[in-house]
Amino acid sequence: MTPSPLPYRIGYGEDAHRLTEGRALVLGGVPIPHAERGAVAHSDGDAVLHALADALLSGMSLGDIGQYYPDTDPAHAGLDSRVILADSLALVREWKYVPANVALVITLDRPKLGPLRADIARNVAALLGLNETEVGVSFKTSEGLAPDHVQVRVTVLLRRVEQ
Ligand SMILES: [Zn+2]
């Protein structure tokens, strides 16, 4: 079914991964230095890019990345999450929408991510064709409630482009 041609559409996505030793931690395509643990995942476990791809798809009412990349498919093992994001963005563009701005919240107890805020914003912006002032990055801790997880929540505003 054709998505209604609203001038703007809101997308929301979230993702969480368990953390374990011996894995690299990558968020928004940025490797996190001094992370003692990384995401347990079938793919590279980049929770920012997964939540963002889901937000893009949800904004267009196109389902979620689990439908396009089932984690039961061995072909998706170790998949670069930038590919998942690029595919989702291509679907949004097919329907003549582009991201206008993004707000993302990363919940992680350790390490502290504050010094990486600009790196993550820049990298996510580049992946979406935005500039870094159009990507808001907030950090939270779980206050010890979920020390073994990384969680990401993302909203994205999609703007219809004129033909
Ligand atoms: Zn994920």
Side-chain angles (χ1 to χ4, degrees), residues 17-123:
H17 285 273
R18 198 159 55 79
L19 299 172
T20 190
E21 284 172 17
R23 296 265 308 184
L25 183 60
V26 181
L27 292 168
V30 176
I32 308 302
H34 314 303
E36 290 156 14
R37 299 179 298 170
V40 177
H42 193 60
S43 68
D44 62 12
D46 190 325
V48 169
L49 299 192
H50 294 171
L52 188 52
D54 262 348
L56 293 174
L57 294 174
S58 89
M60 297 306 302
S61 305
L62 291 171
D64 59 63
I65 59 174
Q67 291 173 262
Y68 300 89
Y69 295 99
D71 62 7
T72 48
D73 186 338
H76 302 148
L79 186 66
D80 185 334
S81 297
R82 286 173 294 191
V83 173
I84 297 176
L85 183 64
D87 286 356
S88 304
L89 186 58
L91 285 170
V92 169
R93 287 181 170 151
E94 243 174 66
W95 288 108
K96 309 298 179 199
Y97 284 79
V98 293
N101 76 310
V102 172
L104 65 93
V105 182
I106 302 172
T107 303
L108 181 70
D109 284 5
R110 282 184 309 130
K112 295 292 179 214
L113 298 174
L116 298 170
R117 194 188 311 270
D119 288 346
I120 293 172
R122 251 194 310 272
N123 211 52

Side-chain angles (χ1 to χ4, degrees), residues 127-141:
L127 292 169
L128 294 174
L130 298 174
N131 74 53
E132 64 191 275
T133 69
E134 293 157 348
V135 178
V137 180
S138 308
F139 301 120
K140 306 284 288 181
T141 76

